Amino acid sequence: MASLRRVKVLLVLNLIAVAGFVLFLAKCRPITAKSGDSFHDIHPRAEVANLTAHGISSIQDAVLKRLSLLEDIVYRQLNGLSKSLGLIEGYGGRGKGGLPATLSPEEEEKAKGPHEKYGYNSYLSEKISLDRSIPDYRPTKCKELKYGKELPQISIIFIFVNEALSVILRSVHSAVNHTPAHLLKEIILVDDNSDEEELKAPLEEYVNKRYPGLVKVVRNQKREGLIRARIEGWKAATGQITGFFDAHVEFTAGWAEPVLSRIQENRRRVILPSIDNIKQDNFEVQRYENSAHGYSWELWCMYISPPKDWWDAGDPSLPIR
């Protein structure tokens, strides 16, 4: 009897939920797009009136349309966060597709000081969207590879000191945009005692509102240097795998799965993805051919041609030792 009573209660609750949902669709006022906006008016009352004709599918369509509208509204709200910093979100801006970005002669004059300060054209960086598209230079076979769904999650750790804010945020946006959500545990920004004001409250307020709960900021109280800063990031990480990156990078689609898959096969592996180049003067993305990374005796990073047996295998998707 008790189990029968529970079943009846559940049925009643389900009926109430369905009725409430239909009433919600019927009563909600239509959201009207402002002139120039890219979405259309929704009239839920008309949709509800046609429920009997179209059945459940029309409810699903209405929900999907409303979610699409809400996505647009939320995006516009979030986009305002970057505007207050003088930065651009979305897929506009200069340098789309990884092409060279340019400045006018007047802007070139303004860019000289920041360029000398950061070692790259930070003034131009502010004209490039935080979400800009870049080419996918992976070999065709790499794009065709399939990976299991049960891959471990990664904590992405960026180390910076007095980096340009636009470059840091583009690194963060790029990581979020091109890492599957179920694989990205968190992003940790380790500030190795910067003294730039824009890297304090403005940076923290932006990431807390734009990516609440996803991005953490770790502040070193004194300059620790690269390796100790990485260790501080590792201490704060909660993902199964940690990835350490400079805070001036852009990710492409499909970067994470092969890395996580290789480590899942053997947890002792340290993986380095293939790295292309972003030119410091115009932010053009420059393709680097297949190569491994190594170090000279002076500990300068260098690109090394793959060994003969890798070339003989004729499979560009194979890892390079």
Side-chain angles (χ1 to χ4, degrees), residues 272-275 289-295 301-307 310-311 319-321:
L272 184 65
S274 177
I275 298 176
E289 293 303 322
N290 291 320
S291 59
H293 280 67
Y295 295 89
C301 179
M302 56 191 291
Y303 291 88
I304 301 169
S305 179
W310 186 88
W311 289 109
I320 303 168
R321 183 173 175 80

Side-chain angles (χ1 to χ4, degrees), residues 153-157 185-186 188 237-244:
Q153 290 185 311
I154 187 169
S155 296
I156 293 177
I157 302 171
K185 177 68 175 178
E186 63 207 348
I188 298 172
T238 60
Q240 296 159 283
I241 292 173
T242 49
F244 298 93

Side-chain angles (χ1 to χ4, degrees), residues 174-299:
S174 178
V176 174
N177 291 344
H178 295 113
T179 308
H182 69 286
L183 300 180
L184 180 58
K185 177 68 175 178
E186 63 207 348
I187 295 174
I188 298 172
L189 302 176
V190 182
D191 175 12
D192 197 19
N193 201 229
S194 298
D195 48 34
E196 294 285 340
E197 283 304 315
E198 68 176 6
L199 301 182
K200 300 185 186 303
L203 169 63
E204 214 150 326
E205 287 175 13
Y206 178 85
V207 296
N208 287 342
K209 291 179 180 177
R210 185 65 176 82
Y211 299 114
L214 181 64
V215 181
K216 305 175 184 176
V217 180
V218 175
R219 306 275 187 187
N220 289 341
Q221 298 307 304
K222 62 185 181 72
R223 190 71 49 82
E224 296 289 357
L226 178 61
I227 301 305
R228 283 195 290 270
R230 284 179 173 174
I231 291 171
E232 290 304 312
W234 173 77
K235 288 178 183 176
T238 60
Q240 296 159 283
I241 292 173
T242 49
F244 298 93
F245 299 89
D246 293 329
H248 43 258
V249 298
E250 293 178 57
F251 294 82
T252 54
W255 78 272
E257 292 90 334
V259 170
L260 300 178
S261 177
R262 294 275 293 158
I263 296 174
Q264 186 180 51
E265 291 169 5
N266 182 350
R267 64 185 293 274
R268 295 175 180 273
R269 286 177 175 151
V270 177
I271 307 296
L272 184 65
S274 177
I275 298 176
D276 296 309
N277 183 46
I278 301 173
K279 292 186 178 180
Q280 62 182 20
D281 294 326
N282 57 20
F283 288 81
E284 178 185 6
V285 178
Q286 178 183 26
R287 182 177 186 176
Y288 278 3
E289 293 303 322
N290 291 320
S291 59
H293 280 67
Y295 295 89
S296 67
W297 286 108
E298 293 81 21
L299 295 183

Side-chain angles (χ1 to χ4, degrees), residues 101-103 107-126 162-164 166-167 196 278-284:
T102 58
L103 294 171
E107 290 174 323
E108 289 283 2
E109 282 300 312
K110 296 177 183 177
K112 285 181 180 177
H115 198 154
E116 292 170 3
K117 178 179 180 179
Y118 292 107
Y120 51 76
N121 198 335
S122 62
Y123 183 89
L124 176 59
S125 174
E126 295 175 359
N162 292 333
E163 194 94 52
S166 62
V167 170
E196 294 285 340
I278 301 173
K279 292 186 178 180
Q280 62 182 20
D281 294 326
N282 57 20
F283 288 81
E284 178 185 6

